[in-house]
Structures are given as C-alpha cells and as structure tokens.
Amino acid sequence: MIKERENNKFSSDTNRIKEEIHKYKWYHNLKYLAAGIIFGVIFVKAEVISWFRIQEMFRLQSFHMYGIIGSAVLVGMISVGLIKKFNIKTIHGEPITIASKKFSKGQIYGGLIFGFGWAITEHARDRFLPRSEQEP
C-alpha cells in the first residue's frame, strides 16, 4: 500500500515535470541561446578564455583575470543581497528561495585540489607545445 502511494507520488511528480517542460514551444528557448552567444562573444573579446591570460593569472603577472573574477563575485554578492532584501520574485511570480549551506572542510580541500590541478594543467601545456606555438 505504501509502495503504491510512493509510486503514484513519483509518477504524478514526473507527469507534472513533463507538463512543465512541454508548457512552452521550442522557440521560447531561443532567448537563452541568444544570451549564451552574447555571453560567449563577450568572454572571447575580454580574453577570459585565453590560456595565456589564465597562465598570467597563475604566474601573478597580470590583474586582468583577478579583476574579472572579483567583479563577478561582487556582482553576485550584491544581486543575492538585493534578492533577499526586497523578496524579489521570478518572472512567473514565484518567490526566490536561497537555501543555506553547511560549511565543511571538504570544500576548502576540493577547491585547493581543483586549483592545483588547473595550475598544473596550464603549466604542463608549456612543456608539450613547440616553442613556435607558444605566445611570448
């Protein structure tokens, strides 16, 4: 009996999600495609995806990437603060809820491992590319 209720619960949730997915026509998603293309062009023009800029960042030779990352963090902090302060709702009128997360040491370790791996990967690139392909 309980299993039946759970199965019905999951199937009704699945049906609801399928209805929400198919609520809009495919061309309603074109605005997200356009935003992604614009965002990508901005990244290319600002040289955010340039391996040379990333390498400069890890070698502490340029403020370029730190400025971009820092401004993104600042904009995110201000946006979340405004959303919480003014109880801003979604475009469909639903309240925006930001769940609090418990801090753990694993987040620090994971970030360090990720950062070291990224730095090693960028450094190893110098070893494998011929000198003619490397930027000065």
Side-chain angles (χ1 to χ4, degrees):
M1 178 95 170
I2 294 173
K3 287 272 190 193
E4 255 179 52
R5 268 193 237 152
E6 286 178 4
N7 288 338
N8 288 339
K9 177 185 170 195
F10 289 130
S11 65
S12 65
D13 285 345
T14 305
N15 290 336
R16 183 181 54 81
I17 291 170
K18 285 180 183 177
E19 289 171 7
E20 287 179 8
I21 290 172
H22 298 294
K23 191 175 183 180
Y24 301 106
K25 299 282 184 193
W26 66 270
Y27 50 81
H28 282 90
N29 291 329
L30 289 178
K31 58 188 168 197
Y32 302 113
L33 177 65
I37 290 171
I38 292 169
F39 199 62
V41 168
I42 290 170
F43 269 23
V44 169
K45 292 293 181 185
E47 296 183 354
V48 174
I49 60 171
S50 168
W51 69 268
F52 184 69
R53 288 291 186 182
I54 296 168
Q55 186 181 47
E56 280 183 336
M57 178 182 68
F58 284 120
R59 290 183 175 176
L60 303 173
Q61 294 173 339
S62 176
F63 182 73
H64 181 80
M65 292 296 287
Y66 292 113
I68 291 172
I69 293 169
S71 63
V73 169
L74 185 66
V75 167
M77 288 171 56
I78 292 170
S79 300
V80 169
L82 290 173
I83 288 170
K84 285 183 176 181
K85 183 175 183 179
F86 296 113
N87 294 324
I88 296 175
K89 298 187 184 308
T90 66
I91 198 167
H92 301 292
E94 301 163 347
I96 297 174
T97 56
I98 300 171
S100 60
K101 296 182 180 178
K102 184 181 175 191
F103 176 76
S104 73
K105 291 180 192 176
Q107 295 166 339
I108 300 292
Y109 298 139
L112 286 171
I113 290 170
F114 176 78
F116 287 141
W118 195 17
I120 290 169
T121 303
E122 287 299 321
H123 180 69
R125 179 184 173 102
D126 288 346
R127 303 286 179 240
F128 298 115
L129 282 178
R131 291 286 175 203
S132 61
E133 292 183 23
Q134 293 179 6
E135 294 182 32

